[in-house]
Structures are given as C-alpha cells and as structure tokens.
Amino acid sequence: MDIGKMAVSINKAINIQEVAVKEKHARTCILGTHHEKGAHTFWAAVNRLPLSSNAVLCWKFCHVFHKLLRDGHPNVIKDSMRNKSDLSDMSRMWGHLSEGYGKLCSIYLKLLITKMEFHIKNPRFPGNLQMSNRQLDEAGESDVNNFFQLTVEMFDYLECELNLFLNVFSSLDMSRSVSVTAAGQCRLAPLIQVILDSSHLYDYTVKLLFKLHSCLPADTLQGHRDRFQEQFKKLKSLFYRSSNLQYFKRLIQIPQLPENPPNFLRASALSEHISPVVVIPAEASSPETEHMVETEDLVDTDIPVQAAVETQFDDLFGNSAATDPFNFNSQNGLRKDDKDRVIEQLTREIQALKEELESFKLESGRLCQALRGRVSELEAELAEQSHLRMQALGESEFLRAELEDLRRVREDTEKEQRSLTEIERKAQANEQRYTKLKEKYSELVQSHADLLRKNAEVTRQMTVAQAAQDEVEAVRREMQEKVKATQEAADKQELDQVQQLQELQRELLSSRAELDGLRDTVTSSQQSSEELASQLSGLEAQKAELAQTLSEKEEELTGLGEQLEHVQSVLTNERESGVKAAEVLQNQLNEKESREQVLESQLLATRWAALQGAVEEAERIVQDSLTQIDDPAHISCTSSADYLASRCQASLVCVDRLHSARDVYLADHTGVSELVRALTQLAHLVGDTIVQGSATSHMVPVEQADALSDSVKACGAETLALLGQLKQEDSLAAADSTTLRGALGAILATAETLRPKGLELQQGELGDLVEQEMAATSAAVESAAARIEEMLNKSRAVDSGIKMEVNEKILASCTELMQAIKVLVLSSKDLQRDIVESGRGAASMKEFYVKNSRWTEGLISASKAVGWGATVMVDAADLVVQGKGKYEELMVCSHEIAASTAQLVAASKVKADKDSTNLVRLQRASRGVTQATAGVVASTKSGKSQIEEKDTMDFSSMTLTQIKRQEMDSQVQVLELETKLQRERERLGELRKKHYELAGVAEGWGEEEGTG
C-alpha cells in the first residue's frame, strides 16, 4: 500500500469537523499498519497535527488510535509506547477543562494509556481481546498469584472504559435525539470500541474470579467481589441505555447482561454464565451509509445517474468533486475529442475504484469468514456449556446431600463443643479455687517463716546473754586471782622489808656495839650511816606506794562486783521474756499446722471432685459416640482404614499416658490436672475411634463390617468399664486397661487388613522400586532423544524440500522437549534426595519411602507416566516423519507428556520446603517443559499447514443458486461434524472417568475420600 495514500487517509479521518470518523479512512489506516508492520507512518502524520489546540481533532485522533490498537498490527502497541509520555502530558492538559470535548479527551487518553500498559504487561492478550478459555488459562501460567494480579489489572482497565462511557452520556442531552445528529454521532462513535472491549473484559473477569474462588478463601476475595458488583451494575445500565439509542441499533447488536451478577461462592454457577457476544452486522460496517456503486453505473454518463456518480466520487475522494473540476455542467459546447478524453480518464479512475472495490470485497469476505468461525466457536462453546450445566446440576444435587450431612455433623460438633466448654469452665473454676487455696497456703508458709525467724532471733539473743554472763564470771575470777596475787606480792614484799629491817636492826646493834671500838672511825662511818638512812627512807616511800595500790585495787574490785550484779539481773529478765515469746510462737505454729491440715483436706476433696467430673464427662462422650453409631443418619458416613488405624494408635498411646498420670496421682494426690487431661483426651480419641470404625464398616463387605462393628461396640463397653473403675476411690488403684487395649488392638488389626493393597512391597523392594522407576524414566528419555536424532538423520538422507524442512522443525522441537524432560527428571531426583534427607531423621532412606508409602506410590506412578509418554511420542513422531501418522496424534502425545511431567512435579514438591533451591530449579524446569511442549504443538501445526494443500475459495464463477446450494451443503457438513464432535467429547469424558476409577482402585483413592 502506498504510504502517501495512508497519510491522506489519516488526515481525512482526523480533522476538525464535528462528524464521526468515516470507516473507510479508518480501515485504510488499519491496512496500512499491517502493510508496514508497525505504526511509524501513523505517528509521523499525527505528530504534525495540532492535537493540543483543538479538542475535536484530539477526540477523533483518540477514536482512530483506539481502532488501530484493536485491529491494527501487533507492533502498533510497541511503536506507540514511545509516545506514552506525550499522551500523558496531553491528557493532563485537557484535564484542566471541566466540560465539552476537553474533559472527554483527557479521559479517553487515560483509557488508551491504560490499554497500552495492559497489553505490554500481558503480551498474550491481542489488541481486540479475543481469546479462548485455554489461552486465558495459559496467560496466568497456572499460578494463582498471576491470576490475582491479572484480575486487578482487568478491573482497572474496565474502570477506565466505564468512566469514558459515563462521561460521554453525561455530556449529551438525552432529552433530544442526539444520536441522529452529526455532533452526537461524533461523540457516540468511539463507544463502539468501548463496548467491544467491555464485553470481553467482563467475560474474562467472571471466569478469573471463579478460578480464584476455587483456589483461595472467600474472605481474601471480598474486595474483588465488591468491586465486581459495582462494575456489573454500571456496565449493565450502560449496555441497556446504549441498546435504546437509534444510532447503535443499526451498527451493533449490544448484549444484555443477566439480571443478577454471578454467585462466585457457588462453583456450579460458572456453568450458568453466558459470555456476552457483540455482533456487528456486515451491512452496517461503517458509521455512515456508503453506497457501493457498480462499474457499469459509473461508466454510464446519463444525466439521471450523474448525481449518484458525483456523490460516490465525493465519498471516495472527499469534497473536491463538489467544485466540478471537469466543469461538466458549464461546457455545453464541449468538443467530441475533449469528451472522449474525459471518458477515458473516468474509465481509468473507475478501473482503479474497481480494484479498490475488489480489495474491499476480499477484506469483507475475510471478515465474514472470521465471523462465521467465531459463530461456530460460540456454538461449540454453547453446546459445551449445556453439557457442563447438566453435569453441574448433578453435582449440585450431590453437593446438596453433602451439605445436609455437613450440617448434621456441625450440629453434633457444636453439641460436643458446648459440653467441652462446660468442662473447661468447671475446670477453670476448680483451678481458680485451687489458686486461692494456694495463695492462702503461701501466706501461712510466710507467716510460719516469720515466726521461725523471730524464734531464731530470740534464741540468738539468749545465747549472747549467756555468753556475756560467762564473760563476766571469767572477768570476776580473773580479778579475784589478780587481787590475790597482788596481796601475796605485797605480803611477800612486806616480809622482805621486815627481814631487811631486822637485818638493819641487827647491823645497828652490831654497829652500836662496835661504836665504842670505832670512835676513831666515826668520820668515815658517818657517811655509811647516811647511806643507810637514805635507803630506809626509800623503803618507807615504796611501802606507802604499795599501800596506795592495794587500796585502788580494792575499790576496782568493789566496782566490778556491782557491775556483775547488774548484768546478772538483766540476764534474768531477758531469759524470762524469751521463754514467754517461745511459748507464743509455739502456740501460733500449732494453729498454723491445724489450718494447713484443714486446707489440705479441702484441696484433696476438690481434686477428687474435679477428677470425678472429668470421668463423668468422659463417660458421656463415649456414650454419645455409641449412641451416634446407632443413629440411622450415620449410615451415610464413610471413612478410611488408614484414618481408623491412626485413631486406634493414638488411643493406645493415650491409654499409656492415662496409666502414667494415674500412678503419679496415687503417689502424692497432686497430679490431678494431668490425669484430667489424659481422661478427656482418651474419651475424645476413643469416641472418634468408635465413630470412624462404624463409618469404615459402611465401606467393607458385610462379614467384615459386622466384625468391625462388634469390635467397636466392645471397645466402647470396655472404656465405660474402665471409667467406672476410675470413678470409685477404692478401685482407682486397681483399675486395669488390659481389656481396653485388647479391644483397640482388635480394631487396629481389622483396619490393617482393610488397608488398600496398591503396592504391597517389602521395605527394600519399595525403596529400590523408586530408584528403578526414576532410572527407567531417565533411560526412556535418553532412548527417545537418541531415536529422534536417528530419525532426523534418516529424514535428511531421504526427504527434500518442504517435507525435509517440516520434519527438521518437528524433530528439533521434539529434541528440545526431551532435553527439557531430562532436566526436569534430574531436578526431581535432587529434590527427592533433599526431601528424604530432611525428613528421614535417624531412619534409612528405604524406611522413609515405606513410611510415606502414598507419596512413594505417587512418585512411581508419575515416573512411569513420563517414561511411557516419551516412548509414545517418539513412535508418533516416527510415523509422522514417514508420512503414515497423524499430526494430531503427535500434538496429543505432547499434551500428555506435559500432564505427566506436571504430575511428577506435583508429586515431587508435595513434601518439599518452599524455600528449597532445588524446588525453584524444579519449577523452572517445569516451565521449560511447558514451553517445549508448546513448541512441539506450534511446529506440528506449522508443518501441517505447509504440507496440506488448501483450496482457494473462488466463488466468482458461481451463480446465486449454486452458492445457495453450496451454503446448504456446508451447513449440513458443519452439523454432522458438530454431532460427531459432541459424541467424541462424551466418549472422551467417559474414558477419563473410567481412567480415574481404575487409577483410584490401583492407588486406594476411594478409601481416602472417606476421610473427607
């Protein structure tokens, strides 16, 4: 297509005249984007327009741009993102105007920006938003977080559409027939694109919300439901108002939404949802009436037809024909040669118009064919929805019955909850009473300790006084000894002095006797006499000092005697007060011991009362379970042998715990709380065992059911007997649970015999089988890759041309798929190794596989499915390369491999840690398998389209009768194919149902469902 012609069409479509954009100009712009595979020419022409200075010009630009985003080449969105900032600035600029086209332009520009951002974030959505249910599921990549975010983005997108809708209606005067005026049609014409977008957004939002409600809790999606309710009311009102406008009645068929919005809390309501379909009639493909004129009419130059020719010329080339460039009306005397020249020029122009008309016819034929395909797809979806509706009706009946059962179970649970609440209330009251007694006991202990401390203080004081008395006695004895020693020393000194005096007297007598003889020596002896006198005076002075010291010692001894008498009197008083305090303390201690004995007896009585209450409540729980299994409504309840065995094992453990608590209680009568808890847990576990045993008996043969029912009733009777022994104080110590253990053991043995026989293997065999299956899967994938490489080499040696190219593409995509499966299997092995290492503890790997036998069986089944799928796909590819197989079979094998690998991923990550690096690698490998599967399907479809010959639909040589006959034949063939398709879908459904039943028998699913 000529770029200049496209630029002219852009300028004609976007002008300042307040009339609707002509469809032919918009269609030329759309074809131009497909011709140049982008929007460079469009933006080059638009950037020269003064969009910021004229609101009508900007409004018509938004209309044309919206059409290009919907129906233009996919690269239009990418090329337009470069001008996003300019559009945002223009939107803000026009937003300052509060009325007229300015406000509408601001809202329209925001809508277009939102549309571009949505398609950039979600490249799987085409510009016209037409997608199948499978494509919608692929857009979310099977991740609930992606679906959640996608729903929010669709809400924002639809909010912008509704905002433009409301503002356009509010800007029109609905009291007048504005839809028939040129100005009104200028404002209403863009709403056709809005209606087309809104119908798809509403349909996808409903489907996504149903999908989210199947994966997430209802409370989490409350905001989504509120927002949908609001948008549903607005959209329903706007669709209704639009359908009543005369302008839309001849251009578009607007669907009507249901009276009430879908109920997302009911999963079966999805089958009642009908997707709104907007239909644009073929004869009303443009906002204005365009008369298609035949070539013979244009060649005819008669006067009556000339006006029609000029009108058609105006429609195709603008208003330039109105100026009469050839001056047909004024040249009455035109020469014959000039007239021939004009006729030849007109003939050439008519030929050009004819060529353009042919292109328009081909385009309209293509659009009609697309619409017919859409109609066929909608009819198929309608048939599928009808079938789903019938299935949903059956499911609703089944769910209603289950709801009744759940309601009865909930009432029973509420009764048990009320009884448990009453027991807890009583236990809490007893606990509070025990707490008060404990506080009083603590106070008595504290007062006892205070009295003991006072007694110790008095005893210490008495000890100190006794020590003081002993010290005084010691001092007195010491003083007496000192006085006695001093007296003896004084007596001895006095005796010495007397002896010295006697000696002096004897010497004096001798001296006097010798005085006569020594008269001549008087002078010399006189000195000696003086020395003796001085000695005598010194002795007398010493005697006086000794006498004074003796008097002082006697006075000190007298003072010490008085002090000793005072200390003895104080000690006597203190001894008397200590004896009195000891008597008072002894009396208080006796009173405290008597109060403690009374409180201890009350506490023992309270504990025994609490124990008896717990025993009585346990008897009521067990009796209620025995009564429940005789209730006719219990017949519909089912359970599994695995769950019954787990309940029996828990009951046996609780019996041991009860005996341990009983022994602790008998030892010191203080462990009543543990005994009460053990009794309560035993009653609930035994009651649950009785109910689950009776429910399990409903799913087994009659003989085994009778034996299981008798064992359950015997277990209930033994439990009541044991509780009766625990209820009596004299038989509490002699209570024996041997018979109860025997009854529980019998139920456990019966449950073990009823367990599913899916894979009855020994420990070593089960562990080895996992490794063998994973190794076999890897070997099957390696073998498949080798076979594909061998087939590729054979194809290159034998085939040539298109067939070799197709075979190479198909086998290359199959090789990529095998490589992706190989990476997935290796990642699954690494993840399983991490799971086993983190979960087995002290046990071995084989013991871990046996302990988690259900998970192990799932791994084995998934591994077998992957290996089998790889082998079958290689066989199908071999037949396709040889020209003996079907391309559809190869595509089905690819989808089957994707499902098998998804099963392997689910089985591998069910026990994995969410933060495991190997889990991330496994998920990445799973996405790689999905992409490789899509590549196989795409290459197969592409090869099929290249190999198979397509008949060109040339109806130009057929008459009206022949076309009508061919149309009837096509309709008959369509109906036959639809009938055959419906039968095949029903057969596929039955096959899947039978496959599910056989897989359930092999893996024990039926018995596991009973636990739900």
Side-chain angles (χ1 to χ4, degrees):
M1 178 179 289
D2 189 7
I3 296 178
K5 184 178 181 180
M6 180 179 175
V8 172
S9 299
I10 292 172
N11 292 327
K12 289 185 177 181
I14 306 174
N15 53 46
I16 61 175
Q17 297 178 6
E18 194 174 359
V19 295
V21 176
K22 291 187 178 182
E23 186 67 21
K24 60 183 179 181
H25 301 319
R27 185 166 55 247
T28 303
C29 297
I30 294 171
L31 294 175
T33 61
H34 285 281
H35 179 72
E36 69 171 349
K37 295 181 174 54
H40 300 290
T41 304
F42 173 77
W43 282 108
V46 166
N47 289 332
R48 293 193 295 269
L49 298 176
L51 300 179
S52 301
S53 59
N54 191 294
V56 176
L57 191 69
C58 183
W59 176 256
K60 298 180 77 172
F61 156 73
C62 293
H63 184 189
V64 175
F65 184 40
H66 197 171
K67 281 179 169 289
L68 293 183
L69 292 177
R70 278 188 50 83
D71 302 325
H73 194 271
N75 290 334
V76 171
I77 299 175
K78 298 179 182 178
D79 296 340
S80 302
M81 285 300 294
R82 304 168 186 169
N83 300 275
K84 175 184 172 183
S85 58
D86 297 336
L87 297 178
S88 300
D89 296 339
M90 195 184 306
S91 174
R92 285 193 295 270
M93 188 272 293
W94 286 116
H96 294 298
L97 299 180
S98 58
E99 60 182 10
Y101 279 101
K103 181 180 179 181
L104 297 179
C105 289
S106 176
I107 297 172
Y108 207 167
L109 288 170
K110 291 179 180 178
L111 168 60
L112 296 176
I113 294 171
T114 303
K115 181 177 179 65
M116 289 191 297
E117 293 176 346
F118 176 80
H119 289 290
I120 291 297
K121 291 181 181 178
N122 304 279
R124 294 178 181 266
F125 283 84
N128 56 10
L129 296 175
Q130 292 182 0
M131 296 181 70
S132 63
N133 293 335
R134 182 179 59 82
Q135 292 173 334
L136 183 62
D137 293 337
E138 293 176 353
E141 298 180 352
S142 300
D143 189 351
V144 67
N145 295 320
N146 294 341
F147 285 122
F148 190 92
Q149 182 63 28
L150 182 60
T151 307
V152 174
E153 293 174 0
M154 284 191 177
F155 278 143
D156 297 338
Y157 191 176
L158 186 56
E159 190 70 30
C160 295
E161 302 274 4
L162 295 175
N163 190 19
L164 179 63
F165 225 133
L166 290 172
N167 280 275
V168 170
F169 277 168
S170 62
S171 66
L172 297 174
D173 186 4
M174 291 302 178
S175 61
R176 298 181 297 168
S177 299
V178 294
S179 64
V180 298
T181 63
Q185 292 178 2
C186 182
R187 299 193 182 193
L188 291 175
L191 296 185
I192 296 177
Q193 312 302 317
V194 176
I195 293 172
L196 292 171
D197 286 345
S198 301
S199 61
H200 290 298
L201 291 175
Y202 165 77
D203 182 32
Y204 298 155
T205 304
V206 172
K207 294 176 180 177
L208 290 178
L209 284 177
F210 273 112
K211 184 179 293 293
L212 288 176
H213 278 78
S214 65
C215 302
L216 298 176
D219 296 339
T220 306
L221 301 172
Q222 182 63 42
H224 279 48
R225 290 197 300 274
D226 295 340
R227 192 171 183 185
F228 176 80
Q229 297 278 353
E230 180 182 357
Q231 293 186 353
F232 174 80
K233 295 177 181 178
K234 293 181 180 178
L235 187 61
K236 178 179 175 61
S237 174
L238 293 173
F239 275 8
Y240 177 75
R241 294 173 63 183
S242 301
S243 61
N244 293 329
L245 291 178
Q246 187 65 30
Y247 176 69
F248 289 124
K249 287 183 179 180
R250 62 189 181 87
L251 295 178
I252 187 172
Q253 294 181 8
I254 302 175
Q256 295 300 320
L257 299 184
E259 186 66 24
N260 297 315
N263 184 8
F264 299 109
L265 301 179
R266 184 167 56 91
S268 59
L270 178 60
S271 60
E272 302 173 1
H273 170 66
I274 300 176
S275 301
V277 179
V278 180
V279 179
I280 299 179
E283 61 272 14
S285 60
S286 61
E288 71 282 350
T289 303
E290 296 184 8
H291 301 284
M292 304 302 295
V293 184
E294 297 295 334
T295 306
E296 291 80 1
D297 296 334
L298 291 174
V299 176
D300 193 0
T301 56
D302 291 341
I303 298 301
V305 186
Q306 185 173 358
V309 174
E310 292 175 355
T311 304
Q312 178 65 16
F313 194 85
D314 292 342
D315 291 339
L316 295 175
F317 297 96
N319 296 326
S320 60
T323 59
D324 194 9
F326 301 106
N327 199 12
F328 288 156
N329 297 323
S330 61
Q331 294 181 358
N332 295 325
L334 193 63
R335 293 189 303 271
K336 184 67 174 178
D337 294 338
D338 294 336
K339 187 175 182 179
D340 293 338
R341 181 175 55 79
V342 171
I343 291 174
E344 290 177 357
Q345 182 178 356
L346 289 174
T347 303
R348 288 193 299 270
E349 293 175 355
I350 289 170
Q351 186 65 29
L353 292 174
K354 186 177 180 180
E355 293 176 357
E356 185 177 358
L357 180 61
E358 288 296 329
S359 64
F360 288 162
K361 284 183 179 180
L362 291 176
E363 179 66 19
S364 62
R366 185 184 62 81
L367 294 176
C368 290
Q369 187 67 23
L371 289 174
R372 290 193 186 96
R374 179 61 178 167
V375 169
S376 300
E377 183 180 353
L378 292 175
E379 289 176 352
E381 290 184 1
L382 180 60
E384 184 178 0
Q385 293 293 336
S386 301
H387 179 65
L388 292 176
R389 180 174 176 273
M390 296 303 295
Q391 291 181 350
L393 290 176
E395 291 178 359
S396 65
E397 293 296 331
F398 177 72
L399 292 175
R400 189 176 294 108
E402 285 189 351
L403 182 61
E404 293 296 331
D405 295 339
L406 291 176
R407 187 178 292 111
R408 286 194 295 270
V409 173
R410 186 184 65 183
E411 293 176 357
D412 297 339
T413 305
E414 290 177 354
K415 292 179 181 178
E416 294 178 358
Q417 189 68 26
R418 286 195 295 270
S419 63
L420 181 60
T421 304
E422 185 66 21
I423 293 174
E424 290 178 351
R425 186 182 62 77
K426 292 180 180 179
Q428 188 175 5
N430 293 332
E431 188 71 22
Q432 292 177 355
R433 192 179 298 109
Y434 173 74
T435 303
K436 293 180 181 178
L437 293 175
K438 186 176 180 181
E439 291 176 354
K440 292 182 180 179
Y441 178 76
S442 300
E443 292 177 357
L444 291 175
V445 170
Q446 185 66 29
S447 62
H448 186 198
D450 294 339
L451 292 176
L452 289 177
R453 282 195 296 271
K454 290 182 180 178
N455 189 12
E457 184 67 23
V458 171
T459 304
R460 186 182 63 78
Q461 291 178 359
M462 290 175 63
T463 304
V464 172
Q466 186 67 31
Q469 186 178 1
D470 294 341
E471 186 178 355
V472 170
E473 287 290 337
V475 171
R476 187 173 64 79
R477 286 194 300 269
E478 184 180 357
M479 293 301 296
Q480 287 177 356
E481 290 176 357
K482 286 183 178 181
V483 169
K484 185 176 179 180
T486 304
Q487 183 132 10
E488 290 178 354
D491 292 340
K492 184 177 180 182
Q493 188 175 8
E494 186 177 1
L495 182 59
D496 292 339
Q497 290 177 357
V498 169
Q499 289 178 358
Q500 289 179 2
L501 181 60
Q502 289 177 357
E503 288 179 358
L504 288 175
Q505 287 177 355
R506 282 194 303 268
E507 290 179 358
L508 180 59
L509 290 173
S510 63
S511 297
R512 284 177 180 177
E514 293 177 357
L515 183 61
D516 293 336
L518 297 175
R519 288 200 184 263
D520 51 355
T521 58
V522 173
T523 307
S524 57
S525 57
Q526 198 171 9
Q527 184 177 1
S528 301
S529 177
E530 291 176 357
E531 291 178 359
L532 292 173
S534 61
Q535 291 178 358
L536 182 61
S537 61
L539 290 173
E540 290 178 352
Q542 188 176 5
K543 182 180 179 181
E545 291 177 358
L546 291 173
Q548 185 179 1
T549 303
L550 180 60
S551 62
E552 291 178 357
K553 293 295 183 180
E554 288 178 353
E555 292 177 357
E556 184 177 356
L557 183 60
T558 303
L560 290 174
E562 294 176 355
Q563 185 177 1
L564 179 61
E565 291 177 357
H566 177 70
V567 170
Q568 287 178 349
S569 64
V570 170
L571 183 60
T572 302
N573 294 331
E574 289 180 354
R575 186 181 293 111
E576 292 177 355
S577 61
V579 170
K580 292 180 181 179
E583 292 177 354
V584 172
L585 290 174
Q586 187 64 34
N587 294 331
Q588 292 179 355
L589 183 60
N590 294 332
E591 292 178 359
K592 172 182 166 296
E593 290 178 353
S594 62
R595 285 198 300 270
E596 285 181 354
Q597 291 176 358
V598 173
L599 292 174
E600 188 67 26
S601 61
Q602 292 178 357
L603 183 59
L604 289 175
T606 303
R607 289 171 178 169
W608 178 250
L611 179 59
Q612 281 193 325
V615 172
E616 292 174 357
E617 187 62 31
E619 289 178 344
R620 283 195 292 272
I621 292 173
V622 176
Q623 190 62 44
D624 180 69
S625 299
L626 291 173
T627 305
Q628 186 177 356
I629 65 176
D630 295 331
D631 190 355
H634 183 66
I635 297 176
S636 61
C637 297
T638 59
S639 182
S640 69
D642 287 334
Y643 185 68
L644 176 60
S646 66
R647 295 293 88 193
C648 290
Q649 292 171 357
S651 300
L652 289 172
V653 173
C654 190
V655 170
D656 297 335
R657 180 186 172 192
L658 175 64
H659 273 272
S660 300
R662 192 270 311 270
D663 296 338
V664 172
Y665 175 74
L666 291 175
D668 55 359
H669 293 282
T670 58
V672 67
S673 60
E674 181 63 25
L675 184 56
V676 169
R677 284 194 289 269
L679 278 170
T680 305
Q681 185 181 9
L682 178 65
H684 283 287
L685 288 175
V686 172
D688 194 14
T689 302
I690 293 171
V691 174
Q692 297 300 329
S694 178
T696 305
S697 66
H698 298 158
M699 298 182 63
V700 300
V702 178
E703 295 179 357
Q704 295 177 344
D706 294 339
L708 184 58
S709 299
D710 294 339
S711 300
V712 166
K713 293 179 181 178
C715 177
E718 295 298 336
T719 305
L720 293 177
L722 177 62
L723 293 176
Q725 293 178 354
L726 295 175
K727 192 174 182 182
Q728 302 297 327
E729 190 172 5
D730 52 354
S731 62
L732 178 61
D736 188 12
S737 63
T738 304
T739 55
L740 177 58
R741 284 195 179 94
L744 288 172
I747 297 175
L748 180 59
T750 305
E752 291 293 340
T753 59
L754 294 177
R755 278 189 171 181
K757 307 300 187 297
L759 290 174
E760 297 179 352
L761 299 172
Q762 299 298 325
Q763 291 186 1
E765 294 178 357
L766 186 59
D768 294 337
L769 186 58
V770 176
E771 299 297 332
Q772 292 173 6
E773 289 299 334
M774 295 303 293
T777 302
S778 301
V781 173
E782 292 288 348
S783 176
R787 285 188 59 190
I788 291 173
E789 185 66 25
E790 182 181 355
M791 286 187 287
L792 184 59
N793 294 332
K794 288 183 179 179
S795 176
R796 288 173 179 171
V798 176
D799 299 328
S800 62
I802 296 178
K803 184 172 180 60
M804 184 182 70
E805 181 182 354
V806 170
N807 292 339
E808 285 182 350
K809 288 182 180 179
I810 294 176
L811 294 177
S813 61
C814 292
T815 303
E816 293 178 359
L817 179 57
M818 291 298 108
Q819 294 297 328
I821 294 174
K822 181 178 179 182
V823 174
L824 178 70
V825 172
L826 294 177
S827 302
S828 177
K829 285 184 179 179
D830 295 338
L831 181 60
Q832 292 169 25
R833 191 177 299 110
D834 290 348
I835 293 171
V836 173
E837 290 298 328
S838 62
R840 65 185 180 91
S844 64
M845 183 180 299
K846 295 179 180 179
E847 291 175 351
F848 177 81
Y849 281 127
V850 173
K851 181 180 179 182
N852 301 273
S853 59
R854 291 298 180 202
W855 178 66
T856 305
E857 292 170 7
L859 286 178
I860 294 172
S861 176
S863 300
K864 286 182 178 180
V866 172
W868 177 82
T871 304
V872 173
M873 195 197 76
V874 172
D875 294 338
D878 191 7
L879 293 176
V880 168
V881 171
Q882 295 177 8
K884 301 177 182 180
K886 297 180 180 180
Y887 291 95
E888 291 79 4
E889 183 178 356
L890 184 58
M891 288 187 283
V892 171
C893 291
S894 301
H895 290 301
E896 187 66 26
I897 286 180
S900 301
T901 53
Q903 180 185 356
L904 180 60
V905 171
S908 299
K909 72 178 183 180
V910 67
K911 286 183 175 294
D913 186 6
K914 63 179 181 179
D915 298 328
S916 174
T917 56
N918 287 324
L919 178 59
V920 175
R921 289 178 53 199
L922 180 63
Q923 292 174 344
R924 189 183 304 114
S926 176
R927 288 193 291 270
V929 171
T930 303
Q931 294 175 358
T933 304
V936 172
V937 174
S939 61
T940 305
K941 289 183 178 179
S942 176
K944 181 181 178 182
S945 63
Q946 292 181 13
I947 296 296
E948 295 180 352
E949 296 181 357
K950 293 186 177 179
D951 296 332
T952 57
M953 297 183 184
D954 185 11
F955 305 123
S956 59
S957 62
M958 298 176 66
T959 63
L960 178 61
T961 304
Q962 292 174 343
I963 290 177
K964 187 65 176 177
R965 180 62 182 175
Q966 291 289 334
E967 182 179 357
M968 292 176 65
D969 293 340
S970 297
Q971 290 178 355
V972 170
Q973 188 175 3
V974 166
L975 292 176
E976 290 176 353
L977 292 175
E978 287 178 351
T979 305
K980 185 176 180 181
L981 176 62
Q982 183 65 23
R983 286 199 300 269
E984 288 297 326
R985 283 180 173 168
E986 293 176 357
R987 182 170 178 268
L988 177 61
E990 293 298 328
L991 287 173
R992 286 178 176 172
K993 186 184 299 183
K994 189 63 178 177
H995 176 225
Y996 181 79
E997 292 175 358
L998 293 177
V1001 171
E1003 311 240 348
W1005 297 345
E1007 297 183 3
E1008 292 178 358
E1009 289 175 357
T1011 60

